[in-house]
Amino acid sequence: MNSTTALRIAAMMGFLAVALGAFGAHGLKATFLENGQGHNWETAAHYHLIHAVVLLVLATRNGVAKLPFLLFTAGIAIFSGSLYVLAVTNVKWLGAITPLGGVCLIAGWLALAFCPRSIVAS
């Protein structure tokens, strides 16, 4: 993965985090009141935005740390994605998928901490 692709992915993740956060705050109030799931949407948007910023930092480094980048991207998609869908649909079994995304986020941090040089790809 080159730095241009990584930067584009990071930018799109940031865009989606802000857009989905705003949509939840303004466009889905009635749904959240009905389902009682507003806290899940807020958690999803919070983790999404934080890790989008991490992706941006990784994308702007000299060489992209590929493994953490991929783990953080997967973590955002699975963790935040499952919470977004849960908040809108109130389908409770989606909560069982969320921890898999959390594991990806944790693994991304560990990969960054323990092997940052061996996972850099130009």
Side-chain angles (χ1 to χ4, degrees):
M1 168 184 340
N2 63 42
S3 60
T4 301
T5 300
L7 185 59
R8 287 181 178 155
I9 291 169
M12 288 306 298
M13 284 294 192
F15 162 78
L16 286 171
V18 174
L20 289 169
F23 182 61
H26 300 291
L28 295 174
K29 283 184 184 179
T31 302
F32 296 153
L33 287 174
E34 182 181 322
N35 293 343
Q37 293 288 335
H39 62 284
N40 281 330
W41 190 277
E42 290 175 12
T43 300
H46 180 80
Y47 277 79
H48 188 163
L49 185 58
I50 287 170
H51 288 89
V53 171
V54 171
L55 291 177
L56 181 63
V57 170
L58 291 175
T60 57
R61 290 178 56 195
N62 188 13
V64 178
K66 190 175 180 180
L67 182 60
F69 193 92
L70 294 173
L71 286 166
F72 287 136
T73 302
I76 292 169
I78 299 167
F79 181 83
S80 294
S82 65
L83 286 178
Y84 288 136
V85 175
L86 171 63
V88 173
T89 66
N90 208 26
V91 175
K92 302 289 186 193
W93 65 264
L94 288 166
I97 297 170
T98 306
L100 299 173
V103 168
C104 288
L105 295 174
I106 291 167
W109 286 108
L110 289 173
L112 195 58
F114 290 107
C115 48
R117 297 283 181 235
S118 63
I119 51 181
V120 173
S122 311

